[in-house]
Amino acid sequence: MQTPLELQIQTLPDSPGVYQYFDKDEKLLYVGKAKNLKKRVMSYFNKVHEVGRTRVMVRKIVTVKHIVVPTESEALLLENNLIKKLQPRYNVLLKDDKTYPWICIKKEAFPRVFSTRNVVKDGSEYFGPYTSFKTVHTLLDLIKELYPLRTCNYDLSAHNIQSGKYKVCLEYHLGNCKGPCEGHEELAVYQHHVEAIRQILKGNFKESLKDFKKLMMELATDMRFEEAQGIKEKIEVLESYQARSTVFNPRISNIDVFTIISDETMAYVNFIQVSHGAIIRSHTMEIKKKLDEPDEELLELAVVELRDRFNLMSKEVLVPYPIDLGDRITVTVPKLGDKKQILDLSERNARFYRMDQLKQEKIVDPDRHTNRIMAQMKKDLRLPEEPRHIECFDNSNIQGTNPVSACVVFKDGKPSKKDYRHFNIKTVEGPNDFASMEEVVYRRYKRLLEENQPLPQLIIIDGGKGQLSSALKSLDDLGLRGKVTIIGIAKRLEELFYPGDSVPLYLDKKSETLKIIQHLRNEAHRFGITHHRDKRSKGALKTSVETIPGIGEKTMVTLITHFKSVKRMAASSEDEIAKVVGPAKAKKITEFYQAKNSS
């Protein structure tokens, strides 16, 4: 007999719409949209979910409700509105919902132009919202420089002006206003300036430049050179601003660009608005993941949210891959040219924003930073658990001499130097990396097992398939195969090899997982080379010192520690050596080297 939930799922329509999941207490768990409601909802119950949060949510579902809409694009809009209104527990969280500044052209006689955070539906025009007040101030300063407008809030009706109700203020005498309150400026001229401002706010500088250049030539023809110079300065201000803001082909106009990058817990959607080749707005939105939502789904949600939030009316959007936004909007996925450059710029903005957030997180909340990286490494490397304890091995020998191996240990993604270990190769003759690796891995984990010490979650072998196979033999001998994940990293192409898999794994060169693996590998190499160098130096010094009559082992160790090299010791004076081992021994050492040099 079917359960009530199974009956609800079986009777869902094959239509576009929005579905809602509720728990036993009728609390809303999740809101989603679907092209086919029945198939989408059934998919939650017909497969094993890898993400734990999704499994937990599915177990809690008791009731499924749905709303059918004509098209998938309408479902997307409805989903967006329901998420913002109801804030279901397992839906993504759209962060940074603060109030942004706008530039208002007030609906009134002789309109004022000013910044505001409050949008009043009184017929006024609002441009924005802008994500930076710096941009707003720059635009308002530019407008003030080009077009003197009134700043007072007087009711400048024709009757009030004719009756002489108002008098010009200090702004008129400073040249910042033409005095429309006393009829010194005609409404038609003022409105022409407002229209020019309107075009500038839209990113179109062409008409303003054209008008200013025409006026400059007229003034110059009339021999009014001082006024013409003033207009020329305005042209230079406008051209300077245009040069700073025009980044792409000016023919690219009224386009919105959206890109997304994501990790295990967060997604970052960057938005750029382009008008006449100028970037007039840029913003990055954070999305906190609740389930394992794909980037395509998150991007659709973010595009709808941002277009609504910023009141975007463009008919074309640029995105990295196709998404469904309905028939009224053209979705373009550029591969080459100017539009591809804009898309790449948007992606770089998203990456830089993410890097900044991660740096701040690392400082403010190091535990959260560590947890996120561990979760990301688990996902990237396909591990059964988070690699809180990682060990990396590297062999070091030069022309077969003094073969050594190093083991470095990282805990929670950071070096644990007190746990580093050196190994002198005991059972292998000559330069044999494979046999050396087999020996040190066996010795390392045999000792950990004997001492009942915790084993790492991940072992990294610096080398390709050969070194990995050798290390794997030792794990087999110790019965650890399958209990600890082991991988090899090849230096040339940063390939990651897994036991029994002939196809290597390639990680994104900028991924944090690869950076930690590279840090481990480089640290193992540095630690091994340092030990190898010390061993060679001590060996050479020991050989030289042992030939000196009357110099014993303790004196030799003291000399090794102090002088570091034979050459430095031989070049030292008797007094310098005497300060280390006393005058009698210093005399013997000095005489030995003097006799050696004279022979």
Side-chain angles (χ1 to χ4, degrees):
M1 185 175 178
Q2 290 183 317
T3 65
L5 178 60
E6 290 172 337
L7 286 172
Q8 292 171 29
I9 297 170
Q10 288 294 329
T11 56
L12 286 170
D14 296 316
S15 306
V18 171
Y19 56 91
Q20 297 169 285
Y21 294 150
F22 293 86
D23 64 10
K24 60 182 177 63
D25 298 320
E26 286 295 307
K27 289 183 179 178
L28 182 61
L29 298 172
Y30 187 76
V31 173
K33 58 95 180 168
K35 190 175 183 178
N36 184 312
L37 281 167
K38 189 172 185 178
K39 286 184 178 179
R40 181 69 177 117
V41 172
M42 287 183 70
S43 70
Y44 276 92
F45 300 91
N46 291 343
K47 65 179 182 180
V48 177
H49 298 280
E50 294 182 0
V51 180
R53 288 170 293 181
T54 307
R55 291 198 301 269
V56 171
M57 183 194 75
V58 171
R59 285 200 297 267
K60 290 182 177 181
I61 298 172
V62 173
T63 307
V64 178
K65 296 181 181 179
H66 69 276
I67 304 170
V68 175
V69 294
T71 65
E72 190 179 4
S73 58
E74 290 185 37
L76 183 62
L77 290 168
L78 178 58
E79 176 198 34
N80 181 266
N81 290 335
L82 289 174
I83 290 172
K84 287 197 292 186
K85 182 179 179 181
L86 304 175
Q87 296 184 344
R89 179 177 179 181
Y90 286 95
N91 277 97
V92 297
L93 297 179
L94 305 177
K95 298 181 72 178
D96 194 8
D97 197 22
K98 61 187 178 184
T99 305
Y100 296 99
W102 301 71
I103 293 180
C104 174
I105 299 179
K106 193 70 174 174
K107 185 182 179 182
E108 59 190 359
F110 299 95
R112 289 169 290 153
V113 180
F114 54 89
S115 65
T116 180
R117 289 187 183 271
N118 300 315
V119 177
V120 181
K121 294 182 179 180
D122 60 355
S124 300
E125 290 181 83
Y126 291 88
F127 295 86
Y130 295 92
T131 55
S132 167
F133 243 117
K134 182 179 180 181
T135 304
V136 173
H137 290 315
T138 301
L139 282 167
L140 290 176
D141 288 344
L142 174 69
I143 290 167
K144 185 178 180 181
E145 181 78 19
L146 299 174
Y147 302 103
L149 300 180
R150 74 182 182 111
T151 56
C152 62
N153 58 1
Y154 295 150
D155 177 12
L156 297 187
S157 63
H159 173 73
N160 287 341
I161 293 173
Q162 290 172 3
S163 64
K165 184 175 181 178
Y166 306 114
K167 297 296 181 183
V168 293
C169 62
L170 183 60
E171 290 292 302
Y172 171 78
H173 297 291
L174 292 174
N176 296 330
C177 175
K178 296 295 185 180
C181 57
E182 286 192 24
H184 297 313
E185 185 175 23
E186 295 181 3
L187 179 60
V189 174
Y190 194 98
Q191 290 287 11
H192 180 75
H193 292 168
V194 171
E195 176 58 30
I197 292 168
R198 187 177 289 112
Q199 293 303 316
I200 289 173
L201 293 174
K202 290 179 179 179
N204 183 9
F205 303 89
K206 184 177 179 181
E207 292 301 319
S208 293
L209 285 170
K210 182 180 176 182
D211 289 346
F212 279 132
K213 288 177 180 178
K214 180 181 177 183
L215 178 58
M216 182 181 68
M217 296 306 297
E218 290 175 355
L219 291 170
T221 302
D222 293 342
M223 304 295 181
R224 296 160 64 184
F225 298 115
E226 191 172 323
E227 294 175 63
Q229 177 61 29
I231 299 299
K232 183 183 178 183
E233 291 172 0
K234 292 181 185 293
I235 292 172
E236 290 172 350
V237 169
L238 191 54
E239 286 179 335
S240 174
Y241 182 82
Q242 183 187 28
R244 291 198 309 272
S245 60
T246 301
V247 181
F248 307 104
N249 190 329
R251 288 178 293 179
I252 298 177
S253 185
N254 199 25
I255 285 179
D256 300 327
V257 187
F258 300 90
T259 55
I260 183 171
I261 61 168
S262 66
D263 53 36
E264 187 71 10
T265 58
M266 297 292 294
Y268 304 86
V269 177
N270 178 258
F271 149 61
I272 289 177
Q273 186 177 10
V274 180
S275 179
H276 299 280
I279 297 174
I280 60 176
R281 185 185 292 118
S282 178
H283 178 64
T284 300
M285 181 176 71
E286 297 177 45
I287 302 177
K288 183 176 177 58
K289 293 183 180 180
K290 288 297 186 72
L291 306 176
D292 192 24
E293 299 90 353
D295 283 357
E296 291 85 349
E297 182 181 317
L298 294 176
L299 185 61
E300 277 188 0
L301 178 66
V303 170
V304 174
E305 163 66 17
L306 288 167
R307 284 178 65 85
D308 177 62
R309 184 186 297 184
F310 291 105
N311 193 32
L312 305 177
M313 305 302 292
S314 60
K315 301 298 182 184
E316 181 181 7
V317 299
L318 306 185
V319 287
Y321 31 71
I323 58 175
D324 185 4
L325 297 176
D327 299 331
R328 296 182 180 180
I329 301 173
T330 301
V331 177
T332 302
V333 182
K335 302 298 182 184
L336 296 168
D338 293 326
K339 290 184 177 180
K340 183 62 168 65
Q341 289 183 13
I342 304 174
L343 195 69
D344 291 342
L345 178 64
S346 175
E347 183 176 325
R348 286 203 301 274
N349 274 279
R351 290 190 182 280
F352 283 131
Y353 182 89
R354 178 175 177 270
M355 287 170 58
D356 288 342
Q357 295 302 110
L358 296 183
K359 288 176 184 175
Q360 293 174 23
E361 177 190 276
K362 193 172 182 179
I363 296 170
V364 176
D365 193 349
D367 290 339
R368 180 184 172 192
H369 175 76
T370 299
N371 293 340
R372 183 187 54 74
I373 288 179
M374 291 296 102
Q376 190 68 38
M377 289 191 74
K378 177 185 174 184
K379 179 181 178 182
D380 290 345
L381 299 176
R382 306 176 301 203
L383 303 176
E385 57 184 324
E386 292 181 353
R388 295 284 175 168
H389 177 176
I390 309 173
E391 297 190 355
C392 180
F393 292 86
D394 179 44
N395 292 332
S396 179
N397 68 74
I398 298 176
Q399 297 178 346
T401 65
N402 304 107
V404 297
S405 187
C407 171
V408 300
V409 180
F410 274 35
K411 292 184 177 177
D412 289 334
K414 300 171 186 175
S416 179
K417 295 193 175 183
K418 65 182 178 64
D419 296 312
Y420 285 15
R421 294 293 182 269
H422 286 131
F423 295 89
N424 293 320
I425 306 302
K426 298 178 178 179
T427 63
V428 181
E429 295 293 334
N432 188 332
D433 270 358
F434 299 157
S436 298
M437 187 62 73
E438 185 176 349
E439 176 190 324
V440 297
V441 171
Y442 183 84
R443 287 167 54 190
R444 170 65 174 169
Y445 297 112
K446 184 174 184 293
R447 180 162 186 169
L448 289 186
L449 289 171
E450 289 173 347
E451 296 178 355
N452 200 27
Q453 295 293 318
L455 295 170
Q457 287 87 36
L458 176 64
I459 300 170
I460 298 174
I461 303 299
D462 183 13
K465 295 179 182 178
Q467 284 91 339
L468 179 61
S469 298
S470 299
L472 202 59
K473 289 179 185 176
S474 296
L475 294 188
D476 284 337
D477 293 341
L478 294 167
L480 294 178
R481 185 161 186 171
K483 296 180 181 179
V484 180
T485 303
I486 182 169
I487 63 175
I489 177 170
K491 291 182 175 69
R492 191 167 66 87
L493 297 175
E494 306 293 43
E495 301 166 310
L496 299 180
F497 291 97
Y498 286 75
D501 192 346
S502 60
V503 180
L505 172 68
Y506 295 94
L507 295 176
D508 187 324
K509 300 299 182 187
K510 297 180 180 178
S511 74
E512 289 177 295
T513 298
L514 182 59
K515 287 179 180 177
I516 288 177
I517 292 174
Q518 289 171 331
H519 189 185
L520 271 152
R521 191 262 313 280
N522 295 339
E523 188 71 354
H525 186 65
R526 178 199 64 78
F527 191 56
I529 287 291
T530 301
H531 180 51
H532 189 270
R533 186 183 299 120
D534 291 345
K535 189 175 180 183
R536 283 186 291 118
S537 297
K538 290 176 182 178
L541 185 58
K542 181 179 179 182
T543 301
S544 176
V545 173
E546 280 180 338
T547 61
I548 304 175
I551 302 299
E553 184 179 344
K554 289 185 179 179
T555 305
M556 178 189 70
V557 172
T558 304
L559 290 167
I560 288 172
T561 305
H562 184 80
F563 287 103
K564 307 297 183 185
S565 72
V566 176
K567 186 177 179 181
R568 187 179 299 171
M569 185 184 69
S572 301
S573 67
E574 185 175 335
D575 289 339
E576 290 174 325
I577 298 173
K579 291 178 182 177
V580 180
V581 295
K585 293 178 181 178
K587 185 176 182 181
K588 291 179 182 179
I589 294 169
T590 307
E591 288 176 351
F592 173 83
Y593 282 113
Q594 286 174 349
K596 187 177 181 180
N597 292 333
S598 62
S599 60

